mmCIF file of all heavy atoms in Angstrom:
data_model
loop_
_atom_site.group_PDB
_atom_site.id
_atom_site.type_symbol
_atom_site.label_atom_id
_atom_site.label_comp_id
_atom_site.label_asym_id
_atom_site.label_seq_id
_atom_site.Cartn_x
_atom_site.Cartn_y
_atom_site.Cartn_z
ATOM 1 N N THR C 957 -0.775 12.090 -7.236
ATOM 2 C CA THR C 957 -1.865 11.970 -8.166
ATOM 3 C C THR C 957 -1.784 12.937 -9.344
ATOM 4 O O THR C 957 -2.497 12.786 -10.335
ATOM 5 C CB THR C 957 -3.211 12.178 -7.462
ATOM 6 O OG1 THR C 957 -3.148 13.374 -6.719
ATOM 7 C CG2 THR C 957 -3.505 11.011 -6.518
ATOM 8 N N ASP C 979 -12.293 9.808 8.071
ATOM 9 C CA ASP C 979 -11.428 10.773 8.752
ATOM 10 C C ASP C 979 -11.074 11.925 7.816
ATOM 11 O O ASP C 979 -10.160 12.718 8.099
ATOM 12 C CB ASP C 979 -10.131 10.080 9.197
ATOM 13 C CG ASP C 979 -9.397 9.482 8.017
ATOM 14 O OD1 ASP C 979 -9.935 9.490 6.905
ATOM 15 O OD2 ASP C 979 -8.257 8.967 8.197
ATOM 16 N N ALA C 1045 15.084 -8.182 -7.929
ATOM 17 C CA ALA C 1045 15.095 -8.574 -6.535
ATOM 18 C C ALA C 1045 14.591 -10.020 -6.322
ATOM 19 O O ALA C 1045 14.399 -10.480 -5.208
ATOM 20 C CB ALA C 1045 14.235 -7.624 -5.718
ATOM 21 N N LEU C 1108 -20.776 -1.478 -3.935
ATOM 22 C CA LEU C 1108 -20.384 -0.370 -3.084
ATOM 23 C C LEU C 1108 -20.295 0.920 -3.874
ATOM 24 O O LEU C 1108 -20.570 1.991 -3.328
ATOM 25 C CB LEU C 1108 -19.037 -0.722 -2.397
ATOM 26 C CG LEU C 1108 -19.061 -2.017 -1.569
ATOM 27 C CD1 LEU C 1108 -17.705 -2.315 -0.960
ATOM 28 C CD2 LEU C 1108 -20.164 -2.006 -0.508
ATOM 29 N N HIS C 1206 -22.878 -19.377 -16.884
ATOM 30 C CA HIS C 1206 -24.255 -18.847 -16.680
ATOM 31 C C HIS C 1206 -24.340 -18.101 -15.334
ATOM 32 O O HIS C 1206 -23.591 -18.357 -14.409
ATOM 33 C CB HIS C 1206 -25.275 -19.972 -16.688
ATOM 34 C CG HIS C 1206 -24.926 -21.068 -15.684
ATOM 35 N ND1 HIS C 1206 -25.168 -20.955 -14.344
ATOM 36 C CD2 HIS C 1206 -24.346 -22.271 -15.890
ATOM 37 C CE1 HIS C 1206 -24.756 -22.053 -13.724
ATOM 38 N NE2 HIS C 1206 -24.196 -22.867 -14.646
#
Side-chain angles (χ1 to χ4, degrees):
T957 50
D979 59 354
L1108 304 179
H1206 53 78

